[in-house]
Amino acid sequence: MILTCANMDIDLAADMPVVNILDPFIKDRNISLQVLRLDTVHPVISGNKWFKLKENIRIAQSLQCSSILTFGGAYSNHLVATAAAANYHNFQSIGIVRGLHTAAKLTPTLEQCKDYGMDLHFVAREDYDRKYDIDYLHTLEKQFFNAYIIPEGGNNEAGMKGAAEIAGYIPKDADIVALAIGTGTTFCGLRNALPEHVSMLGFTAMKGGDYLLDTIQQKTTTGNWQLATQYHFGGFAKKDNTLIDFMNRFYRQHRIPLDFVYTAKAMYGILDMIDKNHIPGNTKILMVHTGGLQGNNSIRDLLQY
Ligand SMILES: *Cc1c(COP(=O)(O)O)cnc(C)c1O
């Protein structure tokens, strides 16, 4: 079965929901917290992936490529978003998947990639690690003729340019813009698009996130940003009961679903920093909900939403 992906209009209406998080403990400190619900853009081409992909799709169209090739792990939001976006825009899609999974045991993410017609190629981790290696990319170009190659996570110039458009949906009075970080593409694109007086706070999803400091420094044109690297909950895509309880509680209180890989860790970090008085009073924080909810399909039984 090949699904057809409806509704990825390249030009988006300007009404992306911004919701207030009303919580006495935040209000007592004279802080306001809002969430920009990019997760509502599209159920699969969700959140920041939609923005990072749109410019890439435009380029693939202008180059008249026949297919789009990209990279990802077995739970990758980017991989499935690419499969859906390619489908919608009539490209064949090819996924280079980290690890030698067998077709009998695909993750929900990979099943969905297949449903969108993505041609999955499983490679050993050592080969996957060559994803930025020019010789390896040339081999793939030969193997998949006329394919447009998007790096893992949509981490390229076009991805940053698309992410910059998120700035247009951020309320003008925000003092701090906070979001989850994987490759940093979204963070850098936004940093370069927002006025310098807006502070940016990034929550790294993996352990040892300080390695991103140099990359972000190189890709950004302004300062006034910082990373919070301690809210990884054990590492990338790791979770514990504290995180799961937090996700269920947050949903009960605010009716906003968070994903366990990125947005739950960022939101937990924001609230913890408010609690520990690491955010000054009289501050308006805008959290960008970067989507990624499909990842929760692998922990469905733990969630009450
Ligand atoms: C991919 C993803 C991120 C990370 O985006 P980068 O641009 O790679 O930093 C953050 N949040 C969610 C929900 C994602 O799916």
Side-chain angles (χ1 to χ4, degrees), residues 4-301:
T4 303
C5 178
N7 183 16
M8 192 207 176
D9 299 326
I10 280 271
D11 296 302
L12 202 60
D15 59 338
M16 198 77 67
V18 174
V19 296
N20 289 304
I21 302 298
L22 300 171
D23 200 320
F25 114 90
I26 302 176
K27 205 162 161 257
D28 287 350
R29 288 168 166 80
N30 221 358
I31 289 174
S32 99
L33 175 59
Q34 296 184 308
V35 179
L36 173 64
R37 300 278 315 263
L38 296 187
D39 57 308
T40 61
V41 181
H42 188 280
V44 182
I45 315 167
S46 165
N48 61 341
K49 300 300 182 284
W50 196 95
F51 287 89
K52 289 196 283 188
L53 280 168
K54 61 183 280 190
E55 286 305 314
N56 277 296
I57 297 272
R58 267 198 235 275
I59 296 173
Q61 283 169 334
S62 68
L63 294 174
Q64 298 188 316
C65 292
S66 50
S67 61
I68 293 182
L69 179 149
T70 196
F71 305 82
Y75 299 93
S76 166
N77 294 329
H78 166 72
L79 200 65
V80 68
T82 304
N87 173 297
Y88 180 73
H89 291 285
N90 299 315
F91 290 101
Q92 172 59 44
S93 65
I94 299 143
I96 308 294
V97 184
R98 172 159 39 85
L100 300 167
H101 308 259
T102 59
K105 236 182 70 189
L106 293 182
T107 60
T109 305
L110 293 177
E111 284 292 350
Q112 202 169 16
C113 288
K114 265 179 56 186
D115 287 346
Y116 283 118
M118 185 174 251
D119 189 6
L120 300 175
H121 293 263
F122 302 99
V123 298
R125 277 154 211 266
E126 308 83 76
D127 292 328
Y128 188 86
D129 287 344
R130 296 173 63 210
K131 63 198 176 219
Y132 291 117
D133 178 317
I134 292 290
D135 291 335
Y136 182 55
L137 293 175
H138 281 156
T139 313
L140 291 174
E141 273 168 2
K142 275 192 208 122
Q143 189 180 349
F144 303 101
F145 179 71
N146 204 18
Y148 176 75
I149 299 183
I150 303 179
E152 183 186 57
N155 182 12
N156 60 9
E157 279 292 320
M160 257 176 72
K161 189 170 164 219
E165 285 184 30
I166 297 169
Y169 299 95
I170 291 181
K172 298 280 175 280
D173 60 353
D175 300 307
I176 299 181
V177 170
L179 70 150
I181 293 190
T183 61
T185 315
T186 308
F187 189 83
C188 293
L190 252 179
R191 175 63 287 176
N192 292 343
L194 285 169
E196 188 159 10
H197 68 81
V198 179
S199 308
M200 280 191 63
L201 178 56
F203 292 86
T204 50
M206 69 298 288
K207 201 188 273 185
D210 280 338
Y211 77 89
L212 280 164
L213 287 167
D214 280 349
T215 318
I216 296 176
Q217 181 99 47
Q218 280 161 24
K219 289 187 177 172
T220 48
T221 50
T222 49
N224 203 6
W225 57 269
Q226 73 183 74
L227 301 185
T229 57
Q230 68 272 46
Y231 298 105
H232 53 71
F233 286 83
F236 188 72
K238 296 278 195 305
K239 59 186 183 308
D240 64 11
N241 290 337
T242 307
L243 187 70
I244 299 295
D245 290 347
F246 167 71
M247 291 167 73
N248 285 325
R249 200 170 60 243
F250 192 82
Y251 184 76
R252 259 197 322 274
Q253 284 177 350
H254 306 293
R255 297 284 135 184
I256 298 177
L258 299 168
D259 81 294
F260 78 101
V261 181
Y262 294 101
T263 53
K265 294 179 181 180
M267 186 57 88
Y268 185 97
I270 293 167
L271 296 174
D272 190 59
M273 287 176 76
I274 294 174
D275 189 44
K276 293 185 169 141
N277 294 318
H278 293 168
I279 310 269
N282 265 319
T283 303
K284 284 186 172 7
I285 309 173
L286 186 283
M287 189 263 197
V288 181
H289 191 317
T290 40
L293 295 170
Q294 69 84 27
N296 286 346
N297 288 337
S298 66
I299 58 160
R300 253 318 43 113
D301 49 329

